[in-house]
């Protein structure tokens, strides 16, 4: 089943999502990238109803880009997350709501702070030090309660992430195989291997 | 699965002597799974009014944004701050606009209104999710721990409490109530509004 | 000729053997006494059946049982417990100890595991070592000894209040002091009265009257009980534990 994690550390946010695209019991694809780089310092991991996910992620990506073109500066993470949340909240009470859960991680270049937002398909948004979606959250959140450190270096942060990934692989029946991991910090976004 | 219990959370407001208090827990969960221990449900409206919005998480944020917009418009048009009683009716009509597809929130309002003699009069109110107002003389409660809050508040509250005593009363009421509610807890925040200051404190409580 | 059209449709009948009769019970244990209380309103839905239906019963001079839930089951259950205690008395020429009564209640409840007595029981009294005790049960016999317990319609209103006032939950003692493990009798009675007036105020199924049973350990003085209005002694035996009842009015609306 789909799983995504994210955690903040000293000056960075790590976002990880599994890479499987499944239909029913069949794995259709094992290298799907479910983390979008929606602006120079913003990452968004998305999961949920197939079809809705990519459609909504691209809708967000283009609107964030449009803001940047019009105003010559990008939205800060808190503003972007609020806009995304409002899109989902409006969608919830529309004729065809999007079923998309998100982890929005960004680096605020104005305050030099890493920011992470947990957002679900209802439009519930909360500012968190770490978050997770999917069945993996039942394992990862307790591990992160124990091991998360907001002052941890990137290496330590990745080691904590590894614990989450390994635990899910060990204990979850329908665990995903591979994960894509991306980091956002003062230098922007990049992919890392774990 | 009740939609009012999907995210959990509780709010209470109490009247004191020339002061009011409003308090809430800080939990946000997905049914039994706790997601955040820092989800604010009580927001300032003016210098003398706070509103608490327990219920569905998404509607907490949406309604907060909606109220902020309507308060700003009111302040600009009227060139004065809104009075608590007026705000209570604004809350009520905002909710009733969605009578047949409501926001799943039961707001709690606490404020001090001005009297002609230059003093202040405490005002608290609660509404159901379609905006039926209840102006109480003593205390109002809402959220997943509402029955517990009602029982404890009925036992602890007394009239004309001074700000510090009111703080203690509302804190004890909230803390002991959320400890018996699986959907509320994970810390609390308390605001006491007095004539010339606001005391805001974050409490830890049992973090389970 | 039977009506053939009605036979053409499948029919289902059902009988619900249970009902819920409201009310609330509560018990608090002291160091050498125990208070067991209950309101006296009995209702079904929005109708009040009677304003005086006792839910608290003296079993022996050292044991009092409060039953709440389905009144018919409650009365039958108390009757059967009393019968078992009488048999014990005839066989052993003494009253059954409190902890034995607690275990007896468990087995009696569990015997009906698949057609339970729809009642929550709270047993209060004095143990053989002279300490005040409260045992609380669920309908199928799970039980636990505690210092205090509320059950029934207003359990959710009263229990957190008791956590605060009896167990001092969320209260930090002043430096160098500690919270008392047991409260004196007059304090306990005040807390019980406050709990029931609060519950009466906010719960429609609670009210009319309040009965508070007090069990005192052997050889103990009245601990301030002598001045209490509406007190009546129910003790049967000499120089053992003593049982009293205090009756009060609650609001009738």
């Amino acid at each position: 089943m789909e799983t995504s994690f994210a955690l903040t550390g000293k000056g960075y946010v790590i976002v990880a999502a599994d890479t499987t695209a499944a239909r029913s019991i069949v794995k259709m694809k094992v290298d799907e990238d479910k983390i979008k780089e929606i602006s120079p310092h913003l990452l968004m991991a998305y999961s949920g109803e197939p079809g809705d996910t990519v459609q909504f992620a691209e809708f967000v990506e283009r609107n964030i880009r449009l803001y940047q073109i019009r105003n010559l500066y990008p939205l800060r993470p808190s503003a972007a997350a609020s806009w995304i949340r409002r899109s989902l909240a409006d969608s919830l009470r529309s004729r065809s709501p999007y079923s998309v859960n998100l982890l929005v991680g960004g680096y605020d270049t104005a305050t030099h702070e890493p920011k992470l937002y947990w957002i679900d398909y209802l439009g519930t948004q909360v500012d968190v030090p770490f978050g997770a979606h999917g069945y993996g959250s039942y394992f990862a959140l307790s591990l992160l309660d124990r091991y998360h450190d907001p002052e941890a270096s990137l290496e330590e942060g990745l080691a904590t992430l590894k614990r989450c990934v390994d635990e899910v692989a060990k204990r979850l029946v329908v665990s995903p195989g591979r994960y894509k991991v991306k980091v956002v910090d003062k230098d922007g976004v990049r992919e890392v291997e774990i | 699965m009740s939609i009012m219990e999907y995210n959990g959370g509780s709010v209470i407001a109490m009247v004191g002597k020339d002061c009011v208090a409003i308090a809430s827990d800080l939990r946000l969960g997905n049914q039994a799974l706790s997601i955040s221990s820092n989800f604010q449900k009580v927001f300032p409206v003016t210098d003398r009014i706070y509103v608490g919005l327990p219920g569905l998480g998404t509607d907490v944020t949406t309604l907060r944004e909606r109220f902020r917009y309507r308060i700003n418009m009111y302040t600009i048009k009227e060139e004065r701050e809104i009075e608590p009683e007026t705000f209570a009716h604004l809350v009520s009509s905002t909710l009733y606009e969605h009578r047949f597809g409501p926001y799943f929130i039961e707001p709690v309002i606490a404020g001090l209104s001005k009297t002609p003699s230059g003093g202040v009069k405490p005002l608290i109110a609660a509404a159901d999710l379609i905006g039926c107002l209840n102006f109480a003389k003593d205390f109002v409660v809402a959220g997943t721990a509402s029955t517990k809050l009602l029982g404890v508040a009925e036992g602890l509250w007394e009239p004309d409490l001074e700000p510090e005593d009111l703080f203690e009363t509302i804190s004890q009421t909230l803390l002991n109530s959320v400890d018996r509610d699986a959907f509320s807890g994970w810390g609390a925040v308390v605001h006491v509004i007095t004539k010339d200051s606001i005391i805001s404190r974050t409490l830890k409580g049992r973090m389970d | 000729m039977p009506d053939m059209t009605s036979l053409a449709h499948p029919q289902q009948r059902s009988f619900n053997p249970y009902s819920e009769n409201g009310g609330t019970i509560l018990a608090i244990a002291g160091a050498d006494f125990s208070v067991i209380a209950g309101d006296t309103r009995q209702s079904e839905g929005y109708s009040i059946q009677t304003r005086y239906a006792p839910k608290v019963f003296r079993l022996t001079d050292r044991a009092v049982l409060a039953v709440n839930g389905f009144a018919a089951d409650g009365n039958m259950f108390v009757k059967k417990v009393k019968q078992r205690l009488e048999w014990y008395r005839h066989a052993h020429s003494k009253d059954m100890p409190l902890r034995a009564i607690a275990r007896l209640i468990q087995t009696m409840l569990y015997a009906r595991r698949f057609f339970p007595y729809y009642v929550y029981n709270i047993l209060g009294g004095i143990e053989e070592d002279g300490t005040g005790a409260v045992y609380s049960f669920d309908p199928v016999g799970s039980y636990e000894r505690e210092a205090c317990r509320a059950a029934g319609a207003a359990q959710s209103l009263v229990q957190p209040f008791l956590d605060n006032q009896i167990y001092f939950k969320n209260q930090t003692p002043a430096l160098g002091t500690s919270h008392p493990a047991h409260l004196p009798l007059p304090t306990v009675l005040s807390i019980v009265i406050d709990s029931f007036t609060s519950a009466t105020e906010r719960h429609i199924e609670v009210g009319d009257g309040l009965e508070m049973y007090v069990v005192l350990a052997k050889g103990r003085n009245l601990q301030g009980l002598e001045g209490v209005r509406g007190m009546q002694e129910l003790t049967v035996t000499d120089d053992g534990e003593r049982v009293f009842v205090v009756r009060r009015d609650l609001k009738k609306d």
Side-chain angles (χ1 to χ4, degrees):
Chain A
M1 295 296 276
E2 283 194 310
T3 288
S4 49
F5 316 116
L7 60 146
T8 56
K10 195 171 174 59
Y12 64 86
V13 184
I14 305 171
V15 183
D18 73 287
T19 56
T20 36
R23 295 287 175 282
S24 180
I25 55 163
V26 184
K27 277 183 186 168
M28 308 297 286
K29 200 164 179 284
V30 289
D31 57 353
E32 175 93 330
D33 184 357
K34 293 189 257 192
I35 308 171
K36 247 197 172 20
E37 293 151 28
I38 50 176
S39 78
H41 291 90
L42 204 59
L43 286 171
M44 183 173 84
Y46 52 88
S47 55
E49 188 76 21
D52 283 8
T53 48
V54 175
Q55 186 71 22
F56 183 76
E58 288 182 0
F59 165 77
V60 168
E61 183 184 33
R62 286 166 198 189
N63 276 97
I64 300 282
R65 178 78 186 121
L66 177 64
Y67 184 95
Q68 199 175 338
I69 293 167
R70 279 182 175 163
N71 300 283
L72 305 175
Y73 61 86
L75 276 175
R76 288 166 62 180
S78 64
S82 293
W83 186 87
I84 295 165
R85 187 210 80 83
R86 195 51 184 267
S87 302
L88 282 170
D90 290 344
S91 151
L92 183 72
R93 288 187 159 86
S94 73
R95 191 199 275 264
S96 61
Y98 284 115
S99 294
V100 187
N101 299 316
L102 308 167
L103 289 169
V104 177
Y107 183 81
D108 193 330
T109 48
T111 61
H112 308 288
E113 272 180 322
K115 295 298 265 178
L116 175 61
Y117 299 93
W118 182 97
I119 301 174
D120 75 2
Y121 72 100
L122 299 168
T124 315
Q125 185 206 58
V126 56
D127 185 338
V128 288
F130 51 81
H133 278 299
Y135 283 115
S137 65
Y138 291 95
F139 303 92
L141 288 181
S142 50
L143 275 167
L144 288 162
D145 278 332
R146 175 65 183 79
Y147 294 108
H148 177 261
D149 174 10
E151 294 298 307
S153 67
L154 182 60
E155 289 67 35
E156 290 168 324
L158 287 169
T160 304
L161 176 73
K162 187 84 168 47
R163 282 183 191 272
C164 297
V165 169
D166 290 347
E167 188 66 14
V168 171
K170 186 177 177 184
R171 295 291 178 184
L172 184 63
V173 177
V174 282
S175 61
R178 292 179 56 244
Y179 290 83
K180 196 171 271 286
V181 183
K182 295 185 186 182
V183 173
V184 55
D185 58 15
K186 63 176 173 24
D187 304 319
V189 300
R190 65 179 184 281
E191 194 180 327
V192 295
E193 289 297 321
I194 54 161
Chain B
M1 186 202 86
S2 165
I3 208 160
M4 297 302 290
E5 287 166 17
Y6 185 76
N7 297 120
S10 302
V11 176
I12 179 171
M14 280 181 176
V15 169
K17 187 171 170 55
D18 297 324
C19 60
V20 284
I22 184 167
S24 81
D25 70 325
L26 288 171
R27 181 179 180 269
L28 178 120
N30 246 211
Q31 311 210 74
L33 178 70
S34 299
I35 301 295
S36 174
S37 58
N38 189 210
F39 186 73
Q40 302 289 336
K41 304 173 211 2
V42 178
F43 307 101
V45 176
T46 67
D47 292 348
R48 290 213 174 92
I49 309 172
Y50 272 71
V51 63
L53 305 168
L56 190 68
T58 180
D59 293 343
V60 173
T61 317
T62 306
L63 269 185
R64 184 188 91 114
E65 287 169 0
R66 232 185 141 87
F67 288 142
R68 187 173 59 185
Y69 170 76
R70 298 188 90 160
I71 293 309
N72 286 345
M73 294 308 281
Y74 182 97
T75 315
I76 293 165
K77 277 189 185 154
E78 297 275 327
E79 297 183 324
R80 66 187 171 90
E81 283 197 334
I82 196 167
E83 285 295 308
E85 196 156 7
T86 321
F87 176 68
H89 286 98
L90 186 148
V91 168
S92 172
S93 52
T94 307
L95 290 171
Y96 198 80
E97 273 178 23
H98 302 273
R99 172 62 180 80
F100 297 110
Y103 287 118
F104 296 98
I105 296 286
E106 294 175 337
V108 168
I109 299 148
L112 291 178
S113 53
K114 285 191 201 119
T115 58
S117 58
V120 289
K121 189 173 81 74
L123 181 142
I124 55 161
D128 66 5
L129 70 169
I130 52 168
C132 175
L133 283 172
N134 162 27
F135 292 101
K137 282 181 287 196
D138 42 13
F139 49 83
V140 285
V141 301
T144 54
S146 58
T147 55
K148 288 117 184 167
L149 287 164
L150 224 39
V152 184
E154 194 67 60
L156 296 186
W157 185 86
E158 47 190 274
D160 296 324
L161 288 164
E162 296 295 329
E164 276 304 322
D165 294 336
L166 184 66
F167 166 79
E168 203 56 37
T169 307
I170 199 169
S171 302
Q172 287 293 324
T173 306
L174 184 76
L175 253 21
N176 288 287
S177 299
V178 301
D179 285 354
R180 282 278 175 184
D181 182 29
F183 294 117
S184 301
W186 261 30
V189 64
V190 184
H191 307 279
V192 183
I193 310 166
T194 64
K195 193 169 177 294
D196 34 37
S197 76
I198 289 174
I199 309 159
S200 296
R201 295 194 181 112
T202 305
L203 309 176
K204 246 182 132 196
R206 289 178 69 102
M207 300 302 279
D208 60 357
Chain C
M1 178 79 185
D3 184 0
M4 297 306 282
T5 52
S6 69
L7 292 175
H9 299 288
Q11 292 190 20
Q12 200 172 59
R13 288 175 214 288
S14 72
F15 167 65
N16 182 193
Y18 291 121
S19 173
E20 178 92 53
N21 299 107
T24 277
I25 52 171
L26 153 63
I28 299 169
D32 55 358
F33 66 87
S34 193
V35 177
I36 307 94
D39 70 324
T40 63
R41 175 174 292 184
Q42 191 179 102
S43 59
E44 191 164 12
Y46 295 131
S47 305
I48 296 172
Q49 295 172 320
T50 172
R51 296 190 190 279
Y52 185 71
K55 279 192 280 291
V56 192
F57 303 92
R58 191 196 75 96
L59 297 177
T60 66
D61 278 344
R62 65 164 79 106
V64 173
L65 183 62
V67 285
N68 191 230
F70 177 28
D73 271 7
N75 292 328
M76 196 57 187
F77 186 71
V78 170
K79 191 170 158 179
K80 295 217 167 195
V81 173
K82 280 183 171 173
Q83 186 177 53
R84 293 290 293 266
L85 293 177
E86 189 176 330
W87 290 347
Y88 182 96
R89 210 155 30 235
H90 291 147
H92 299 97
S93 304
K94 64 164 186 146
D95 280 333
M96 192 186 276
L98 192 71
R99 60 186 222 110
I101 300 176
R103 183 60 67 87
L104 172 73
I105 289 173
Q106 165 168 79
T107 51
M108 288 177 69
L109 289 170
Y110 198 81
R112 296 284 293 264
R113 176 63 180 77
F114 298 108
F115 185 19
Y117 288 108
Y118 199 67
V119 285
Y120 284 88
N121 284 284
I122 300 177
L123 175 70
I126 304 294
E127 295 281 20
E128 282 177 304
D129 65 3
T131 58
V134 164
Y135 290 92
S136 66
F137 300 80
D138 81 348
V140 290
S142 293
Y143 78 111
E144 182 182 12
R145 186 182 165 179
E146 296 173 290
C148 76
R149 171 60 65 186
Q155 185 192 36
S156 63
L157 285 79
V158 175
Q159 191 65 53
F161 178 66
L162 259 29
D163 289 344
N164 188 223
Q165 297 294 310
I166 305 292
Y167 291 121
F168 299 102
K169 289 278 169 70
N170 293 111
Q171 290 189 262
T172 319
L175 214 62
T177 67
S178 63
H179 291 309
H182 295 286
L183 295 168
L185 181 56
T187 315
V188 169
L189 285 176
S190 308
I191 290 171
V192 172
I193 293 168
D194 281 357
S195 298
F196 275 94
T197 31
S198 293
T200 302
E201 199 67 36
R202 295 286 177 170
H203 201 113
I204 55 168
E205 293 174 357
V206 181
D208 294 330
L210 169 61
E211 284 190 327
M212 294 176 288
Y213 281 70
V214 181
V215 191
L216 289 183
K218 205 180 297 185
R220 249 22 90 91
N221 65 7
L222 260 51
Q223 307 185 27
L225 198 63
E226 58 275 14
V228 175
R229 178 168 53 83
M231 185 267 279
Q232 184 194 335
E233 182 158 5
L234 303 172
T235 318
V236 172
T237 57
D238 290 326
D239 53 73
E241 292 81 3
R242 298 172 74 185
V243 190
F244 303 84
V245 63
V246 181
R247 294 198 175 84
R248 286 293 164 88
D249 280 340
L250 290 172
K251 281 170 73 177
K252 296 186 190 300
D253 54 0

